Amino acid sequence: MDIFEVFVDMQATGNKIKQLRKQNHYKVFDLANALGLESEQAIYKWQRGQCLPTVDNLVRLSILFGCHIDDILVHNMTAGEDESPLLPLCA
């Protein structure tokens, strides 16, 4: 398998972050505070699949949710040719 055929599904990852947040009884405001973010906007963008958390925030999320980073990211193993491996990151 070519590593360039593996992509992170931003929409599904956003849904997973929302699911894990709710399972762990975090409100968006509380999660933003726990991550040291200035506002909740980054979390809303993650949940909508508009961007992905930075690696630092993925590590923090995995600690807060008590899971592995791989449990947060959803991989799309059958990405189309026109999909870009460059994904927008925010906070």
Side-chain angles (χ1 to χ4, degrees), residues 6-81:
V6 178
F7 297 89
V8 174
D9 184 330
M10 290 180 19
Q11 189 70 44
T13 297
N15 290 336
K16 186 70 170 191
I17 291 171
K18 185 174 184 177
Q19 173 191 354
L20 289 166
R21 177 183 62 77
K22 288 182 175 188
Q23 282 178 357
N24 287 276
H25 309 289
Y26 281 104
K27 295 180 181 177
V28 173
F29 176 81
D30 298 329
L31 187 56
N33 281 340
L35 294 172
L37 302 175
E38 293 181 18
S39 76
E40 304 90 40
Q41 290 308 307
I43 295 170
Y44 286 120
K45 287 181 180 181
W46 301 341
Q47 291 183 161
R48 287 192 300 261
Q50 292 177 320
C51 63
L52 295 170
T54 62
V55 173
D56 291 345
N57 281 327
L58 280 170
V59 171
R60 291 178 184 116
L61 287 170
S62 71
I63 292 168
L64 288 169
F65 296 154
C67 66
H68 296 280
I69 292 173
D70 226 22
D71 296 328
I72 298 171
L73 296 173
V74 178
H75 305 264
N76 180 355
M77 302 301 260
T78 58
E81 291 180 20

